[in-house]
């Protein structure tokens, strides 16, 4: 233990409600930094690169699952929630990381995956061994099949990767037996959240990590815990159902579970927090996840879906701030993640929108990376100027693009095999980070084993080393923006006031004395307000913003 049990360091405790205004950096652990030379990122790697994150200016990190796992789905298939995968480190490493993070004045959020475990989890193994009807099976969702011999799946539900959401098991005597539910791969059996043992076990897992000083959790698939097996899945699109009526998405019973979780977080000092991976197009349904007594914040995929479109972005900003404001929760802003197409690629295409659930990613579409970079630079200034919490996915601050031509044999995302090798999946945004040097592995690993996904040669100009101190680099833009966001009294929490919200421009004021303006039109846009320019995403045209450019203006000295 690192002495952090029950709370953070004194300096952290004095900054209450940090989670209302933080900038949180997503560390996709396999791809951030490799400390032991096996070509896969790990906890010692993160520790060695913490000063970089402090200098970047973020407030916290969210680390994707680090638990023991067969890695069928990048660690989102957990076989023990109270340990660390030996591939990624040890419990001691995790405790040391938590200690180091706090020492640097940062926070750390772990990822918890409550919808399912791995099929290697001892619960699932004992459920298989116990046979039909035993209490071990009740932790999961086992059912008899339909048809005379039970050889048809129990219902018509589909896995999110395609194909039936059910797999049949062999009973201990070898005969074909019951089926179990898995909304994702067959290696990720769904837990039964009506089982009180599952509920209490997860409360104990939360305590296990809170006791070790973790500052919070990202709650994977928070909308999926409730299930009504009697209902058919009439449409794969949750939006085709009435509020709370989908058989396994956003059911009302999930909130009771999260109220229990919140009570556990509140037992600890230091503002421990949850962020739900929950986004719903109906504001009232979405806001229920963060109502008082529920989870603290919820991801907002609205901006991801909106693409580079002023009308849609304006609408989503408006909808988000209203929905969250009504229940007293901060807004969050997410432009990309380990599940989405890299921003500069998305914004360099004619179609800039992407639904976060669409893993096909429009590969092969023509991409103008210069255009993408220009827009991505403007987008980050827009998002960082909004009130609330901002998530930055690793590598966005380097302007990395989606790698669309990874060799087929390198692909690890289960979507690839599940789709019959039609959908390449999400690996293209998960290529290990380039830190330094002019050739692969670009400082990602010190060992001889190459990175688990190959990096392109062109990244030699996009390493941290190549961008550090370089005028106009993406990295320096992020650093400057994060410095201002931290220092300017108008930024972070609070509200915004629109100056213009049209198809041509988005411009808003933050009090005291701050304006953000973004030009989406084909014509130069006169910078509003009579203040000093603090930062722009690209060169100005006199007093005007060129197309796809953003500016931050301060009206007062600060
Ligand atoms: C994670 C994905 C993962 C899925 C299944 C998602 O929310 O972000 O990467 O495949 O959950 O656990």
């Amino acid at each position: 233990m690192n002495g952090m049990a029950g709370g953070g360091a004194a300096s952290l405790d004095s900054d209450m409600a940090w989670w209302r205004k933080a900038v949180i950096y997503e560390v996709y652990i396999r791809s951030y930094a490799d400390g032991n030379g096996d070509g896969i990122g790990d906890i010692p790697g993160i520790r060695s690169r913490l000063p970089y994150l402090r200098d970047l200016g973020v407030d916290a990190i969210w680390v994707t699952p680090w638990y023991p796992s067969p890695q069928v789905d990048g660690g989102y298939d957990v076989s023990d929630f109270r340990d660390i995968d030996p591939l990624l480190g040890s419990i001691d490493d995790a405790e040391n990381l938590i200690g180091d993070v706090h020492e640097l004045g940062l926070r750390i959020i772990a990822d918890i995956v409550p919808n399912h475990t791995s099929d290697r989890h001892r619960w699932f193994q004992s459920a298989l061994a116990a046979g039909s009807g035993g209490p071990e099976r009740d932790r999961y969702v086992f059912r008899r099949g339909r048809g005379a011999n039970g050889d048809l799946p129990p219902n018509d539900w589909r896995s999110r990767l395609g194909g039936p959401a059910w797999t049949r098991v062999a009973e201990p005597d070898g005969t074909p037996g019951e089926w179990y539910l898995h909304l994702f791969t067959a290696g990720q059996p769904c837990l039964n959240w009506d089982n009180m043992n599952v509920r209490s076990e997860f409360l104990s897992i939360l305590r296990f990590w809170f006791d070790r000083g973790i500052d919070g959790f990202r709650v994977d698939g928070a909308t999926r815990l409730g299930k009504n097996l009697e209902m058919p899945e009439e449409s794969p699109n949750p939006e085709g159902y009435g509020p709370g009526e989908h058989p396994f998405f956003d059911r009302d019973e999930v909130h009771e579970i999260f109220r229990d979780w919140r009570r556990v977080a509140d037992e600890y000092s230091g503002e421990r927090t949850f962020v739900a991976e929950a986004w719903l197009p109906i504001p009232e349904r979405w806001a229920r996840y963060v109502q008082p007594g529920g989870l603290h914040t919820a991801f907002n995929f609205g901006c991801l879906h909106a693409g580079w479109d002023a009308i849609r972005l304006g609408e989503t900003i408006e909808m988000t701030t209203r929905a969250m404001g009504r229940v007293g929760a901060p807004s969050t802003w997410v432009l990309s993640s380990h599940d989405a197409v890299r921003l500069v690629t998305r914004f360099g295409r004619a179609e800039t929108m992407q639904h976060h659930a669409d893993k096909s990613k429009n590969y092969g579409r023509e991409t103008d990376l210069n255009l993408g970079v220009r827009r991505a630079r403007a987008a980050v200034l827009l998002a960082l100027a909004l009130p609330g919490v901002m998530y930055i996915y690793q590598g966005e601050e380097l302007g990395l693009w989606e790698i669309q031509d990874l060799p087929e044999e390198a692909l690890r995302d289960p979507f690839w095999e599940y789709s019959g090798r039609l959908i390449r999946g999400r690996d293209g945004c998960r290529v290990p980070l380039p830190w330094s040097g002019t050739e692969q592995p670009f400082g990602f690993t010190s060992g001889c084993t190459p990175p688990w996904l190959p990096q392109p040669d062109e990244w030699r100009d996009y390493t941290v080393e190549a961008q550090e101190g370089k005028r106009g680099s993406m990295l320096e833009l992020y650093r400057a923006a994060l410095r201002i966001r931290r220092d300017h009294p108008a930024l972070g929490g609070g509200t915004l006031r629109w100056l213009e919200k049209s198809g041509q421009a988005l411009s808003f004021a933050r009090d005291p004395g701050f304006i953000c303006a973004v030009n989406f039109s084909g014509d130069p846009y006169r910078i509003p307000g009579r203040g000093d320019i603090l930062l722009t995403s690209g060169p100005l045209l006199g007093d005007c913003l060129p197309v796809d450019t953003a500016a931050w203006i301060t009206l007062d000295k600060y």
Side-chain angles (χ1 to χ4, degrees):
M1 297 280 254
N2 56 20
M4 299 295 297
S11 62
L12 292 175
D13 278 352
S14 58
D15 181 22
M16 296 303 272
W18 63 276
W19 49 268
R20 290 186 163 274
K21 55 180 195 301
V23 176
I24 302 177
Y25 184 95
E26 179 188 354
V27 172
Y28 188 75
I29 189 165
R30 292 173 67 88
S31 304
Y32 182 69
D34 174 20
N36 70 354
D38 65 357
I40 297 173
D42 49 30
I43 298 177
I46 303 175
R47 286 185 73 197
S48 72
R49 299 289 189 182
L50 279 180
Y52 167 74
L53 295 171
R54 179 207 47 209
D55 296 347
L56 181 61
V58 300
D59 302 297
I61 59 173
W62 144 37
V63 183
T64 55
W66 52 18
Y67 316 102
S69 160
Q71 304 284 335
V72 166
D73 183 15
Y76 284 95
D77 47 320
V78 177
S79 46
D80 182 356
F81 284 98
R82 290 190 184 79
D83 205 348
I84 298 289
D85 196 309
L87 199 65
L88 309 173
S90 64
I91 281 279
D92 279 352
D93 290 331
E95 289 182 349
N96 289 331
L97 172 67
I98 295 169
D100 288 357
V101 163
H102 288 158
E103 222 146 86
L104 290 178
L106 307 175
R107 317 259 178 170
I108 175 166
I109 291 176
D111 210 319
I112 192 145
V113 190
N115 180 65
H116 44 259
T117 68
S118 158
D119 61 348
R120 309 306 309 161
H121 194 290
R122 72 182 157 76
W123 283 359
F124 193 73
Q125 289 299 309
S126 57
L128 290 181
S132 165
E136 292 87 348
R137 287 226 167 158
D138 190 53
R139 291 200 187 104
Y140 293 89
V141 184
F142 279 89
R143 290 291 183 279
R144 239 183 264 290
R146 287 175 299 164
N149 302 317
D151 45 14
L152 293 172
N155 69 21
D156 69 341
W157 294 6
R158 312 274 300 163
S159 143
R160 301 304 89 189
L161 290 89
W166 297 91
T167 291
R168 195 171 195 185
V169 301
E171 296 302 348
D173 64 5
T175 55
E178 291 184 321
W179 299 68
Y180 68 90
L181 177 70
H182 52 87
L183 292 181
F184 292 88
T185 70
Q188 294 162 294
C190 287
L191 286 163
N192 170 19
W193 277 88
D194 292 334
N195 180 303
M196 290 306 138
N197 185 263
V198 168
R199 292 194 184 205
S200 60
E201 182 66 16
F202 267 82
L203 297 182
S204 146
I205 293 164
L206 297 178
R207 286 199 177 91
F208 178 89
W209 290 104
F210 281 143
D211 285 344
R212 279 162 180 75
I214 209 81
D215 294 295
F217 289 93
R218 172 217 186 235
V219 184
D220 185 72
T223 48
R224 299 190 188 276
L225 307 191
K227 299 189 174 73
N228 181 348
L229 291 154
E230 306 315 318
M231 289 172 65
E233 183 186 4
E234 277 154 4
S235 152
N237 180 5
E239 283 141 41
Y241 291 81
E245 285 170 8
H246 190 280
F248 54 81
F249 186 78
D250 185 36
R251 299 191 59 77
D252 290 343
E253 51 268 33
V254 300
H255 300 294
E256 184 185 310
I257 298 166
F258 295 137
R259 276 194 290 274
D260 288 346
W261 287 31
R262 177 62 184 254
R263 276 191 285 272
V264 170
D266 287 348
E267 288 168 15
Y268 288 81
S269 63
E271 294 280 325
R272 313 300 174 99
T273 192
F274 293 110
V275 53
E277 193 209 11
W279 188 86
L280 293 113
I282 304 174
E284 296 72 32
R285 297 295 299 185
W286 185 33
R288 293 183 83 195
Y289 287 81
V290 291
Q291 63 204 337
L295 301 174
H296 301 73
T297 54
F299 276 158
N300 173 8
F301 295 131
C303 289
L304 232 162
H305 299 176
W308 191 244
D309 178 313
I311 299 278
R312 284 174 191 277
L313 281 169
E315 272 166 11
T316 197
I317 294 168
E318 187 67 18
M319 180 286 241
T320 303
T321 48
R322 271 221 212 123
M324 296 294 118
R326 243 182 249 133
V327 288
S331 302
T332 70
W333 310 104
V334 178
L335 295 176
S336 58
S337 78
H338 66 284
D339 290 330
V341 180
R342 286 266 185 210
L343 202 57
V344 299
T345 303
R346 206 168 350 119
F347 282 175
R349 292 175 178 163
E351 177 52 83
T352 56
M353 290 165 58
Q354 195 210 352
H355 196 281
H356 72 283
D358 174 16
K359 308 301 185 245
S360 66
K361 292 185 149 198
N362 289 325
Y363 274 178
R365 299 286 168 89
E366 208 176 304
T367 309
D368 174 348
L369 279 183
N370 289 328
L371 176 65
V373 166
R374 203 163 66 231
R375 290 173 168 173
R377 290 172 68 90
V380 73
L381 291 200
L382 170 67
L384 283 171
L386 293 170
V389 181
M390 167 82 179
Y391 282 85
I392 296 173
Y393 175 49
Q394 68 180 33
E396 291 296 308
E397 80 282 14
L398 301 176
L400 302 184
W401 57 92
E402 186 83 11
I403 306 304
Q404 306 187 58
D405 59 354
L406 287 168
E408 292 185 354
E409 62 281 8
L411 298 177
R412 289 288 171 276
D413 187 350
F415 272 92
W416 174 237
E417 292 298 342
Y418 262 78
S419 66
R421 305 193 156 206
L422 290 173
I423 298 178
R424 295 175 73 89
R426 299 159 290 178
D427 288 325
C429 66
R430 298 174 176 179
V431 174
L433 288 194
W435 291 93
S436 57
T438 53
E439 52 192 46
Q440 179 165 262
F442 298 115
F444 169 73
T445 171
S446 52
C448 302
T449 316
W452 69 281
L453 288 173
Q455 301 154 305
D457 293 341
E458 295 79 5
W459 279 7
R460 75 176 83 81
D461 299 325
Y462 292 83
T463 62
V464 172
E465 186 182 55
Q467 296 195 42
E468 243 165 5
K470 184 171 162 195
R471 259 189 91 179
S473 72
M474 189 70 98
L475 179 59
E476 291 303 335
L477 177 75
Y478 269 72
R479 283 181 173 172
L482 289 169
R483 209 177 308 120
I484 296 169
R485 190 182 191 274
R486 183 169 283 226
D487 292 346
H488 199 290
L491 296 179
T495 53
L496 68 77
R497 193 161 29 87
W498 287 110
L499 303 175
E500 177 163 356
K501 181 159 72 70
S502 69
Q504 314 301 308
L506 292 177
S507 139
F508 52 86
R510 305 284 316 272
D511 290 331
F514 181 94
I515 291 174
C516 172
V518 191
N519 183 11
F520 288 82
S521 77
D523 300 316
Y525 179 75
R526 184 164 294 283
I527 296 174
R530 264 191 232 108
D532 296 332
I533 305 275
L534 285 172
L535 189 62
T536 63
S537 63
L540 298 180
L541 288 171
D543 287 346
C544 292
L545 283 172
V547 63
D548 297 333
T549 308
W552 283 4
I553 299 118
T554 190
L555 305 179
D556 310 312
K557 289 269 170 277
Y558 70 97

